[in-house]
């Protein structure tokens, strides 16, 4: 090929004393060869290199009808038709056209092979369907499909989210039977899982791609054989054990994901299994992100004179809260570092205590008089 010839010349030039000059000549020579090659597809369609997309499309339509095998019976017409289709496939795609203009057809083939884009004349049926009907392009049919993801609620206690936990679960799924590949046969009409494409003539010189749903198609070029004794039902039931690791401080609504473990199906990759954390209601604390909230009821005498209370946390450790001042009803007290663990491992949130004062239902006359005297003398001292 021109590329091989150019490489040979470049190798010889690089062995000469003037290496940098040889490199410069080599680059110029390669550019010239690529420029010559870049003109082939344009020549096939009879257009210039600066042709617009509309002009490219118009030229392809004319050339494809001229050399269509059903219309042109001359020897070599079908090959010419395939070459024209390939030219249009490249020139109508901005990315491929740019690569072709820079590196020629060999460079384009290397790009397509490296990127899984195919190559050769594989795009004939797709570009022709753009004009004469048919559904789904090659890229869409080749796109890897996946069985549906599954989301399962996982109910956990606030204590488990505070301490962290490991939970073992059993999951039941459908997996491909052992010899499932022996039940497949080649079929050019299968263009992907559940997709079958047939070519049919709708008029002299005109063909149309017809896309049909066919569950026997399991992948591109592969069809499931009916009544296959090796794997009659395609899949079998399997139980798998999963270990769910709940990190300290995780929050309700977070997902713990196991990738590729849902149902299997021929031609598909298995989807992902998500466990969604649902926090059970706690009798002692209420949670908001990393902070905890608790309501504490205190008698009136404690609200007036101060108090000390001992509380038990989620991990059963006890701590003491001291209050020396008068506590108003619905007063909120913040206790730093007594909330939930932070997910990043850097400390804890805060605990907020709301105090509700329990007033007595009734007072005796003596109690009323004593309280009045105490409060009256306290007010007189404040005035002084």
């Amino acid at each position: 090929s021109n590329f091989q010839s150019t490489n040979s010349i470049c190798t010889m030039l690089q062995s000469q004393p003037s290496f940098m000059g040889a490199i410069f000549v080599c680059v110029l020579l390669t550019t010239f060869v690529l420029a010559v090659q870049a003109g082939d597809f344009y020549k096939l369609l009879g257009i210039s290199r600066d042709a617009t997309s509309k002009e490219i499309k118009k030229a392809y339509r004319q050339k494809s009808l001229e050399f269509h095998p059903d219309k042109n019976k001359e020897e070599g017409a079908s090959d010419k038709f395939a070459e024209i289709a390939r030219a249009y496939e490249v020139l109508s795609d901005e990315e491929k056209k740019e690569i072709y203009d820079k590196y020629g057809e060999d460079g384009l083939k290397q790009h397509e092979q490296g990127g899984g884009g195919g190559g050769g004349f594989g795009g004939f049926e797709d570009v022709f369907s753009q004009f004469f009907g048919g559904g789904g392009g090659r890229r869409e049919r080749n796109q890897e499909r996946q069985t549906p993801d599954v989301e399962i609620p996982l109910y956990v206690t606030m204590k488990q989210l505070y301490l962290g936990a490991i939970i073992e679960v059993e999951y039941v799924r459908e997996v491909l039977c052992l010899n499932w590949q022996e039940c497949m046969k080649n079929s050019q009409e299968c263009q992907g899982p559940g997709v079958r494409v047939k070519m049919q003539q709708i008029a002299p010189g005109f063909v149309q791609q017809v896309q049909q749903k066919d569950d026997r198609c399991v992948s591109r070029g592969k069809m499931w054989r009916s009544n296959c004794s090796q794997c009659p039902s395609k899949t079998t039931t399997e139980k798998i054990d999963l270990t769910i690791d709940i990190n300290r401080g995780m929050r309700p609504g977070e997902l713990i994901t196991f990738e590729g473990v849902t149902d299997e199906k021929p031609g598909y990759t298995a989807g992902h299994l998500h466990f969604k954390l649902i926090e059970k209601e706690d009798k002692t604390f209420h949670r908001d992100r990393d902070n905890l909230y608790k309501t504490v009821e205190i008698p009136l005498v404690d609200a007036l004179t101060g108090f000390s209370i001992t509380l038990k946390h989620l991990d059963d450790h006890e701590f003491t809260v001291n209050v020396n001042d008068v506590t108003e009803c619905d007063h909120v007290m913040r206790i730093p570092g007594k909330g939930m663990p932070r997910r990043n491992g850097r400390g804890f949130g805060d605990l907020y205590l709301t105090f509700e004062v329990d007033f007595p239902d009734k007072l005796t006359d003596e109690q009323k008089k004593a309280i009045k005297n105490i409060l009256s003398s306290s007010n007189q001292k404040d005035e002084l």
Side-chain angles (χ1 to χ4, degrees):
S1 66
N2 290 333
F3 261 118
Q4 293 173 337
S5 301
T6 304
N7 290 336
S8 300
I9 296 173
C10 287
T11 302
M12 291 179 4
L13 287 172
Q14 292 171 9
S15 64
Q16 300 304 314
S18 180
F19 179 76
M20 293 304 297
I23 291 293
F24 178 71
V25 173
C26 178
V27 171
L28 289 178
L29 182 58
T30 303
T31 304
F32 172 75
V33 172
L34 293 177
V36 172
Q37 285 187 327
D40 293 343
F41 283 168
Y42 293 97
K43 186 177 179 181
L44 277 172
L45 297 181
I47 55 177
S48 62
R49 294 191 64 186
D50 58 353
T52 64
S53 58
K54 187 176 181 180
E55 292 171 340
I56 294 173
K57 189 173 183 179
K58 181 179 179 181
Y60 168 70
R61 184 181 181 90
Q62 293 174 346
K63 292 288 185 180
S64 62
L65 291 176
E66 179 182 351
F67 291 96
H68 194 280
D70 289 343
K71 188 175 182 180
N72 192 327
K73 302 299 182 181
E74 294 182 5
E75 185 177 354
S78 60
D79 294 337
K80 189 75 171 179
F81 179 74
E83 293 173 4
I84 292 169
R86 170 62 174 165
Y88 178 73
E89 178 196 9
V90 173
L91 299 183
S92 62
D93 186 303
E94 291 184 2
E95 182 183 5
K96 291 182 179 180
K97 183 177 183 295
E98 182 179 358
I99 295 172
Y100 177 80
D101 289 344
K102 289 182 178 179
Y103 307 111
E105 189 173 3
D106 286 351
L108 178 62
K109 287 180 180 179
Q110 291 179 12
H111 169 76
E112 291 177 330
Q113 291 170 359
F121 300 127
F124 150 66
E125 61 186 36
D126 292 332
V127 296
F128 200 65
S129 68
Q130 294 178 19
F131 289 96
F132 305 113
R138 180 158 51 99
R139 292 180 181 178
E140 181 181 347
R141 293 195 298 270
N142 277 342
Q143 186 176 3
E144 188 177 40
R145 299 195 182 187
Q146 178 179 295
T147 58
D149 289 355
V150 176
E151 184 177 295
I152 299 176
L154 180 65
Y155 292 88
V156 292
T157 64
M158 190 181 294
K159 183 174 183 178
Q160 287 176 309
L161 295 176
Y162 183 89
L163 296 173
I166 294 178
I167 300 176
E168 303 288 343
V169 298
E170 187 179 78
Y171 181 69
V172 180
R173 63 173 183 166
E174 294 295 314
V175 295
L176 296 171
C177 64
L178 186 61
N179 300 319
W180 69 276
Q181 291 184 333
E182 297 181 16
C183 293
M184 291 197 301
K185 62 180 180 179
N186 295 329
S187 174
Q188 296 301 321
E189 293 183 350
C190 287
Q191 300 298 319
V195 179
R196 185 180 180 187
V197 176
K198 299 179 65 175
M199 299 289 293
Q200 68 178 24
Q201 185 171 345
I202 58 176
F206 292 92
V207 293
Q208 181 184 35
Q209 281 187 339
V210 179
Q211 180 172 306
Q212 300 173 334
K213 186 179 185 301
D214 193 333
D215 292 334
R216 294 178 301 167
C217 290
V218 297
S219 63
R220 185 175 179 84
K222 296 292 182 180
M223 177 178 283
W224 191 266
R225 289 194 289 112
S226 302
N227 302 321
C228 178
S229 60
Q230 296 291 335
C231 190
S233 60
K234 296 185 182 180
T235 61
T236 57
T237 301
E238 178 189 63
K239 294 181 179 180
I240 58 174
D241 295 322
L242 299 175
T243 300
I244 303 175
D245 190 2
I246 300 175
N247 297 323
R248 298 182 66 194
M250 292 189 76
R251 297 173 180 173
E254 286 195 67
L255 299 177
I256 298 176
T257 299
F258 293 84
E259 297 183 353
V261 299
T262 59
D263 292 342
E264 295 180 352
K265 187 177 179 181
Y268 291 76
T269 59
H272 306 323
L273 175 62
H274 307 283
F275 287 95
K276 185 176 182 179
L277 296 178
I278 307 296
E279 187 179 82
K280 297 178 182 178
E281 185 177 354
D282 189 83
K283 296 180 179 179
T284 304
F285 298 100
H286 168 70
R287 179 184 182 183
D288 182 13
R289 300 175 70 83
D290 294 333
N291 296 324
L292 290 177
Y293 298 82
K294 177 178 173 60
T295 299
V296 178
E297 190 176 274
I298 58 175
L300 177 61
V301 62
D302 287 351
L304 296 173
T305 62
F307 57 94
S308 178
I309 58 172
T310 299
L311 302 175
K312 182 181 287 189
H313 214 298
L314 289 165
D315 60 352
D316 295 330
H317 85 272
E318 295 183 344
F319 60 100
T320 301
V321 178
N322 297 310
V323 179
N324 297 319
D325 298 326
V326 174
T327 302
E328 298 179 0
C329 190
D330 295 329
H331 171 71
V332 178
M333 181 179 184
R334 172 176 168 267
I335 304 176
K338 289 298 182 181
M340 294 291 292
R342 300 193 189 279
R343 290 177 299 175
N344 58 14
R346 299 177 181 177
F348 293 76
D350 299 330
L351 170 64
Y352 291 86
L353 297 178
T354 300
F355 295 106
E356 291 186 353
V357 179
D358 182 19
F359 286 85
D361 293 333
K362 60 174 63 177
L363 295 172
T364 64
D365 292 337
E366 292 181 359
Q367 289 173 327
K368 293 178 182 179
K369 184 177 180 180
I371 293 174
K372 185 178 294 185
N373 290 334
I374 293 171
L375 294 179
S376 298
S377 60
S378 175
N379 292 334
Q380 290 175 359
K381 290 181 181 180
D382 291 339
E383 292 176 359
L384 293 175

